[in-house]
Amino acid sequence: MTTTDLPSPGDLPEIAVDPAAFRHLADAQVAVELDTGDMVLNIGPQHPATHGTLRLVVRLDGERVVSADPVIGYMHRGYEKLTEFRTYPQITTLINRIDWLSSFANEVPFIAAAEHLMGIEAPPRAQYLRTILTELSRIATFVLFLGEMGLQVGAITPAFYGFRDREYVLNLIEAVTGGRFHPNFNRIGGIKDDLPWGWISECKSVMQKVLASCDEFDDLVVGNPIFQKRTRSIGIIPQELGAAYGVSGSNLRASGVDWDLRRDGPDYLVYNDLDWKVWTHPDGDSFSRYWVRLQETRESARMVLQMLEQLPSGPLMAKVPRIIKVPEGEVFVNTENPLGEMGYYVISKGATGPFRTKIRSASFSNVSLLPWLLRGVYVPDIVTILASLYFILGDIDR
Amino acid sequence: MIAIEVGWGTTLAIKTAVVLGIVPLTALILGYVFLLKMMSHMQSRLGPMDPGGFHGWYQLIGDGIKFLQKEDIMPGEADRRVFALAPAIVVLSTFLVFVVIPAGPRIRVASLDSVKMFDGVGVFYALAVSSLSVIGVLMAGWASSNKYALLGALRAAAQLIAYELPLVLAVVGVVIQAGTMSLQGIVHFQQTGSLFGWSGIGFPLILTQFVGFALFMVASQAELTQPPFDMPVAESELVAGYMVEYTGFRFLFFFIGEFGTAFAFAALAATLFLGGWSVPWVHCTAADFLGPAVLFAKVMFVAFLMFWARFTYPRFREDQLQAIAWKWLIPIALANILLTGVLKVAF
Amino acid sequence: MVETPTETPAEPPAEVPADPKTELREQAADALARLQAELGDAIVEHGAAYGDVVVRVDREAWRITAQVCKQKLDCDYLSFIAGIDWMPTPAVTEDGSGDTSTPAQPKEQTYGVAGSEGRYQLFAVVMSTRRKSWRVILKTDLPDDDLHVESWVPVYAGADWHEREAWEMYGFVFDGHPSLRHLYLPSEFEGHPLRKDYPLLAREVKPWPGLVDVEPMPGEAADDEAAPALDGGETA
């Protein structure tokens, strides 16, 4: 039927209809979007994808994100203020609760800052134990991520594998420190206790388990075509922008920046004694962030195995005065934590507590990129991106 | 031969009771065997294996009690009547599918074949009523007055349109080959058919319609909103999609609907492709007794495949699902129909 | 518990090759030289903090400094921006007695590395992701009566949240910041919590108990004279 066959509607003036113009209109009607106005969707503060109490105010056009505004502070505990009212040994209790997935790694830079200011250096065995425990908490954090990311993309099974492996590692940490989540095990000048009997062999077998389950994640998640379809070229962080936002850690390495504070920062702990590799991925998307963390989990497990082989003997504590008074001075110590760069800028005025502590936490900067990163993605991609950035609310809100 | 004279009223009552009983029962069986036990084994879950003695048999009862004692919450802004009706419609569609699935030569609730107007339209009817549930889903999503629920419901509607077509097209090959749309007729075809002249195991249509079977499984996975196509539910994005505002018993309705429909689709797949109740060398009365057990075994096998995929795969994105449906499944299904038609005419 | 309790107070570390406080790391010295070449008079003072260079610049040159750091010094990475209030901590109890855990800070106003002209100071750390341990600590003074400073957002996009935090915690105003809104605190919050004169209300209401009387264990004498001192706890 051509358009000329159409009956002329009553007394309306006749319009010469060009069939080509008509076809264009038909196409346009398919492409035209309903003028519905944007929908504001509140994701969080209580939402399974936000790992706690992050709130995202998302403006949606259909399922496409027009703009996203993260609202934080639901868990702000004012640690920077509280540190001014506590002594150095007491503060380690607080900073355990910043990134609660890898509490031990949190303690390290703060203790290091206090040790720098006091001019103390922990004995080699204590340094090794610190490094081992830091890497263990890195494994515990990443293994959870490897499962959690699967869960956020919709596969339930990896999440349970992640929790299972995290359990192994937490048991190790508990055996040494007595605490699963909040070890509070570092002391200024060293470490509280030595390893329990039989721990080293246990740790070796757990590391083998971790390496095996990394292969499992490789097969189950990384090799899964649906997972790749969901994460590849989603949430790309450009190198320059990522650095300008202070995005750090695995997130930045996944954008191809070959920068790891364990290797590239001022020397700390015993990373220089070890033979290890910094993993990067050129893509910068959610998939590469997963991939980099998977490789780093393996690398950490290998580092722990290495350290167990070359663990020195000796004392665990340097000579430390009974009452810890830190001389006047300022120091900035930052370390490569599982989530990224964790730094403490400690200003001391010679008292038993710091005058001012600036806590530079990784997730805060990582998440500050979200408004840029979420623009124009679909609702399911929000979840993928949030999961792949891997933040801890305590680390954002401090 | 058993010949028990019963009036139509009694027959109706029995049939109603059977259908009413069978849907929650099958849902419980699938929920127990696959959701609790198989999943626990696959995922190293310790919780559901713990309560009770052997393999945590008590867990299902505990879950049931939990659902029953939950408070029935209805959002203040909800469209109360629609909100209350939605779960019933979802379950209703499951009930209606069970009506036509034959469990033996003479065991089925309604044949529809005897009605002249619906001469042998079992397949047609089953596929039609199975998609009724999306109305319930849309109602639930809309009436909840919750943005997550609305998004979930709209996704469900979009998904239905995308997947109803491959589902139906996948079955067309079977219908062409069997020459009937009656489910009983298809089973009879598979039982009496012969494989290169050898009629030992009949002629399960999966042997020729394996493409159709694969398409049917994929599409029914989407119909059931199970991973990898569970976007309408999507716990990690939409919390629970259209179910987000439902609690207690109403939520249990959705749950029963979900697993009951899974059973119904598994039964459809078993009937269409695996020979349904038919079992080699067993005919007539014996088949009437053995048929249900055989069908159940086949259904459990198909359901195992469904849940295996459910526990293994991540979730697609809605637009990716549409792309798969329109760019892959439908062309493949059409090609399959064409090939089947050509071969049917040729041989 | 410290394993080797010694009764002697803080003793200076035995042998230090060079004073770590004032010694600059090789890279830091290099960075300082470059900064001096680029900024010239804008650098008010510089110092060292355990190897790192601390540069205090003029407030007017705050954004220029960022640009120089990013473009000329290869510091593409912003670690953080934060404020300092150098006002002496008002102790909860004046002499610290009876409050074993509130660290008694000095009563006179002193300034840290690279000094300060007044109470408020803004400081930031920028680093390079391409060089090893290449980082600069920058400071600038903000006069009490005019807490304005140029925003770093045009240079480092990530300055956004850090400046919002400094704005709500210290009341610093960043000119050119796209939206200075509350970040952590509710939008109707009044006051600037990280200023030293902002009381920690929990402590005002109920002073920190310090060592709490622990219930005696069974078999332990109830009138045990002194509770065991926690490490670091100041015994009055």
Side-chain angles (χ1 to χ4, degrees):
Chain A
M1 191 172 78
T2 57
T3 48
T4 45
D5 294 335
L6 286 169
S8 151
D11 50 6
L12 285 171
E14 273 199 7
I15 305 163
V17 181
D18 179 19
F22 218 77
R23 195 173 61 236
H24 162 77
L25 192 64
D27 285 345
Q29 269 182 339
V30 175
V32 82
E33 286 176 31
L34 288 174
D35 184 22
T36 48
D38 296 340
M39 180 168 92
V40 175
L41 185 68
N42 243 318
I43 297 181
Q46 299 288 334
H47 188 281
T50 56
H51 310 278
T53 53
L54 175 72
R55 177 176 160 215
L56 278 173
V57 182
V58 182
R59 194 173 281 279
L60 291 179
D61 173 18
E63 286 220 16
R64 196 179 278 275
V65 176
V66 177
S67 68
D69 188 17
V71 181
I72 62 173
Y74 290 92
M75 203 182 270
H76 188 231
R77 294 153 292 182
Y79 278 176
E80 289 183 16
K81 186 81 173 173
L82 288 178
T83 53
E84 295 168 11
F85 290 82
R86 277 167 171 63
T87 62
Y88 286 92
Q90 288 171 340
I91 288 170
T92 51
T93 317
L94 286 182
I95 59 184
N96 261 295
R97 280 135 182 96
I98 291 176
D99 165 12
W100 51 68
L101 285 187
S102 48
S103 306
F104 189 88
N106 288 348
E107 297 172 8
V108 170
F110 182 78
I111 294 291
E115 284 176 356
H116 279 321
L117 286 170
M118 293 176 74
I120 300 175
E121 196 170 344
R125 189 175 172 85
Q127 298 276 20
Y128 261 86
L129 291 189
R130 278 181 188 175
T131 321
I132 289 173
L133 286 167
T134 305
E135 290 308 313
L136 282 183
S137 55
R138 189 185 311 275
I139 293 169
T141 311
F142 280 180
V143 152
L144 187 62
F145 163 81
L146 297 176
E148 176 79 13
M149 175 93 178
L151 180 68
Q152 303 290 1
V153 178
I156 326 161
T157 308
F160 287 92
Y161 290 176
F163 273 107
R164 179 196 63 195
D165 299 338
R166 180 173 159 79
E167 202 67 14
Y168 298 146
V169 182
L170 283 185
N171 285 341
L172 285 181
I173 295 177
E174 187 189 11
V176 184
T177 66
R180 294 168 71 78
F181 265 48
H182 305 302
N184 206 2
F185 195 61
N186 266 308
R187 297 289 181 270
I188 291 172
I191 206 153
K192 185 172 174 289
D193 259 328
D194 208 340
L195 300 174
W197 185 83
W199 190 84
I200 290 179
S201 60
E202 178 68 24
C203 185
K204 279 178 183 165
S205 75
V206 168
M207 286 307 109
Q208 296 303 340
K209 276 185 198 166
V210 167
L211 287 173
S213 76
C214 279
D215 294 341
E216 211 168 62
F217 281 118
D218 221 339
D219 290 343
L220 184 65
V221 185
V222 174
N224 189 310
I226 302 178
F227 179 79
Q228 297 207 6
K229 230 173 153 52
R230 279 296 304 281
T231 51
R232 284 229 187 237
S233 73
I234 298 293
I236 297 176
I237 302 177
Q239 291 188 9
E240 290 294 315
L241 194 81
Y245 266 98
V247 174
S248 52
S250 319
N251 291 328
L252 199 59
R253 282 194 288 281
S255 297
V257 179
D258 190 13
W259 184 58
D260 190 319
L261 284 169
R262 284 175 287 177
R263 184 194 66 190
D264 299 328
D267 298 343
Y268 76 102
L269 298 184
V270 297
Y271 290 110
N272 283 345
D273 300 358
L274 306 176
D275 175 29
W276 60 289
K277 179 177 177 342
V278 176
W279 291 88
T280 59
H281 195 285
D283 289 357
D285 53 9
S286 300
F287 176 82
S288 59
R289 291 193 275 279
Y290 189 93
W291 188 86
V292 164
R293 287 206 180 90
L294 179 63
Q295 304 307 328
E296 287 183 357
T297 313
R298 287 186 172 137
E299 201 63 51
S300 291
R302 287 190 208 112
M303 282 157 86
V304 170
L305 286 175
Q306 269 186 53
M307 283 185 279
L308 291 178
E309 290 301 327
Q310 57 196 59
L311 188 65
S313 59
L316 290 168
M317 285 289 291
K319 207 172 180 199
V320 177
R322 179 149 170 75
I323 292 168
I324 290 174
K325 268 203 160 99
V326 174
E328 200 168 337
E330 289 181 33
V331 68
F332 178 58
V333 176
N334 58 356
T335 57
E336 185 73 30
N337 268 30
L339 298 177
E341 183 212 351
M342 177 93 180
Y344 293 91
Y345 196 102
V346 179
I347 300 174
S348 173
K349 283 199 171 179
T352 54
F355 178 76
R356 162 105 170 91
T357 315
K358 165 66 192 173
I359 303 169
R360 195 275 177 203
S361 58
S363 300
F364 179 82
S365 297
N366 291 352
V367 168
S368 71
L369 184 64
L370 275 182
W372 186 88
L373 206 53
L374 290 183
R375 208 172 293 149
V377 303
Y378 290 110
V379 171
D381 297 336
I382 298 179
V383 178
T384 322
I385 291 171
L386 284 182
S388 71
L389 279 178
Y390 202 38
F391 52 85
I392 298 300
L393 246 293
D395 204 35
I396 300 174
D397 283 356
R398 303 196 293 272
Chain B
M1 290 288 281
I2 38 163
I4 307 164
E5 285 291 324
V6 282
W8 68 270
T10 322
T11 318
L12 187 68
I14 290 171
K15 286 177 171 180
T16 314
V18 166
V19 172
L20 284 183
I22 217 160
V23 173
L25 188 70
T26 53
L28 288 187
I29 289 170
L30 289 196
Y32 181 76
V33 174
F34 294 117
L35 187 67
L36 294 181
K37 299 301 153 232
M38 177 181 144
M39 188 169 77
S40 302
H41 276 290
M42 281 180 68
Q43 305 182 333
S44 340
R45 281 195 194 203
L46 303 177
M49 305 299 282
D50 195 42
F54 175 70
H55 272 222
W57 57 269
Y58 183 73
Q59 178 71 34
L60 190 68
I61 301 168
D63 275 343
I65 293 170
K66 180 193 78 181
F67 275 124
L68 293 183
Q69 68 179 12
K70 289 280 182 210
E71 187 190 352
D72 180 25
I73 300 169
M74 194 178 282
E77 300 276 303
D79 190 337
R80 304 184 72 85
R81 222 173 283 175
V82 181
F83 186 85
L85 199 58
I89 289 186
V90 171
V91 177
L92 180 73
S93 97
T94 312
F95 281 115
L96 291 178
V97 179
F98 272 95
V99 164
V100 289
I101 293 170
R106 281 181 301 276
I107 303 178
R108 62 181 148 174
V109 174
S111 69
L112 296 184
D113 298 353
S114 52
V115 185
K116 205 73 194 146
M117 203 174 112
F118 305 118
D119 191 16
V121 287
V123 176
F124 178 75
Y125 167 85
L127 294 177
V129 295
S130 70
S131 45
L132 271 183
S133 68
V134 84
I135 298 177
V137 169
L138 264 177
M139 284 165 67
W142 180 256
S144 298
S145 76
N146 179 312
K147 287 171 183 171
Y148 289 102
L150 182 64
L151 275 176
L154 293 179
R155 283 182 181 189
Q159 194 162 318
L160 174 88
I161 294 163
Y163 269 89
E164 199 67 3
L165 205 49
L167 190 73
V168 173
L169 292 179
V171 177
V172 169
V174 172
V175 172
I176 291 175
Q177 226 175 343
T180 174
M181 279 178 82
S182 153
L183 285 169
Q184 192 68 287
I186 291 171
V187 176
H188 275 298
F189 175 81
Q190 296 181 73
Q191 192 184 21
T192 55
S194 57
L195 205 60
F196 301 117
W198 179 59
S199 60
I201 56 161
F203 181 44
L205 279 170
I206 191 173
L207 295 177
T208 47
Q209 290 296 322
F210 49 89
V211 176
F213 180 69
L215 288 173
F216 188 88
M217 293 305 290
V218 172
S220 61
Q221 201 76 348
E223 279 276 318
L224 296 167
T225 65
Q226 288 202 7
F229 307 111
D230 64 333
M231 290 74 89
V233 183
E235 286 97 342
S236 57
E237 308 155 19
L238 302 181
V239 195
Y242 56 89
M243 295 187 280
V244 67
E245 295 287 2
Y246 283 88
T247 56
F249 205 69
R250 292 184 211 277
F251 181 77
L252 190 61
F253 259 60
F254 277 118
F255 185 82
I256 288 174
E258 185 186 339
F259 282 85
T261 317
F263 194 92
F265 269 94
L268 267 182
T271 304
L272 291 172
F273 296 98
L274 302 180
W277 52 261
S278 76
V279 58
W281 308 301
V282 179
H283 297 281
C284 300
T285 315
D288 260 339
F289 289 104
L290 212 55
V294 172
L295 180 69
F296 182 75
K298 290 177 179 175
V299 166
M300 289 308 266
F301 172 70
V302 177
F304 167 75
L305 295 181
M306 284 178 171
F307 283 89
W308 189 10
R310 174 184 174 136
F311 301 139
T312 306
Y313 284 114
R315 181 189 310 121
F316 274 111
R317 217 168 52 202
E318 194 66 45
D319 57 320
Q320 290 167 342
L321 168 134
Q322 300 284 349
I324 290 166
W326 294 102
K327 287 183 186 164
W328 293 100
L329 295 186
I330 291 175
I332 291 173
L334 289 173
N336 182 44
I337 291 170
L338 189 70
L339 192 67
T340 311
V342 168
L343 290 178
K344 172 99 177 172
V345 173
F347 294 98
Chain C
M1 190 69 71
V2 179
E3 282 194 340
T4 52
T6 50
E7 295 306 318
T8 51
E11 55 182 356
E15 42 160 347
V16 187
D19 190 4
K21 281 187 181 181
T22 51
E23 189 197 16
L24 275 181
R25 206 183 298 124
E26 183 189 338
Q27 297 96 331
D30 186 8
L32 176 63
R34 283 161 185 251
L35 261 184
Q36 277 168 330
E38 292 289 340
L39 289 170
D41 290 345
I43 296 179
V44 181
E45 204 180 327
H46 61 83
Y50 294 88
D52 287 316
V53 61
V54 183
V55 177
R56 181 154 69 96
V57 297
D58 197 67
R59 180 166 64 122
E60 305 297 323
W62 182 240
R63 188 186 284 173
I64 302 290
T65 310
Q67 279 173 347
V68 166
C69 285
K70 188 172 186 183
Q71 284 155 14
K72 301 278 171 62
L73 257 75
D74 214 13
C75 290
D76 52 345
Y77 177 92
L78 174 73
S79 185
F80 69 85
I81 303 173
I84 313 173
D85 182 358
W86 288 111
M87 185 182 146
T89 313
V92 177
T93 47
E94 270 307 312
D95 53 352
S97 63
D99 185 348
T100 53
S101 68
T102 297
Q105 300 284 356
K107 296 287 171 287
E108 67 281 2
Q109 184 159 328
T110 54
Y111 306 113
V113 180
S116 176
E117 270 157 28
R119 186 179 152 192
Y120 295 113
Q121 208 169 36
L122 189 66
F123 73 121
V125 175
V126 290
M127 312 187 200
S128 170
T129 59
R130 305 184 198 106
R131 293 153 182 253
K132 186 172 159 63
S133 42
W134 183 268
R135 62 188 191 199
V136 182
I137 300 167
L138 297 161
K139 288 185 175 181
T140 190
D141 305 326
L142 273 65
D144 292 4
D145 51 348
D146 179 26
L147 292 174
H148 284 256
V149 69
E150 272 183 307
S151 167
W152 269 16
V153 174
V155 186
Y156 293 104
D160 184 355
W161 282 21
H162 292 290
E163 287 180 354
R164 275 169 70 184
E165 190 190 351
W167 172 76
E168 74 176 356
M169 293 299 177
Y170 286 95
F172 298 167
V173 182
F174 294 89
D175 299 326
H177 188 281
S179 62
L180 275 181
R181 295 173 287 146
H182 277 287
L183 182 69
Y184 284 132
L185 307 170
S187 48
E188 60 273 11
F189 194 90
E190 286 176 20
H192 303 291
L194 273 184
R195 287 187 181 178
K196 288 283 180 185
D197 50 4
Y198 190 92
L200 184 61
L201 282 176
R203 287 289 174 84
E204 297 284 318
V205 175
K206 186 173 183 292
W208 185 250
L211 284 176
V212 186
D213 285 336
V214 187
E215 269 186 45
M217 295 293 284
E220 206 177 328
D223 54 351
D224 206 346
E225 356 86 62
L230 296 177
D231 46 329
E234 257 186 315
T235 41

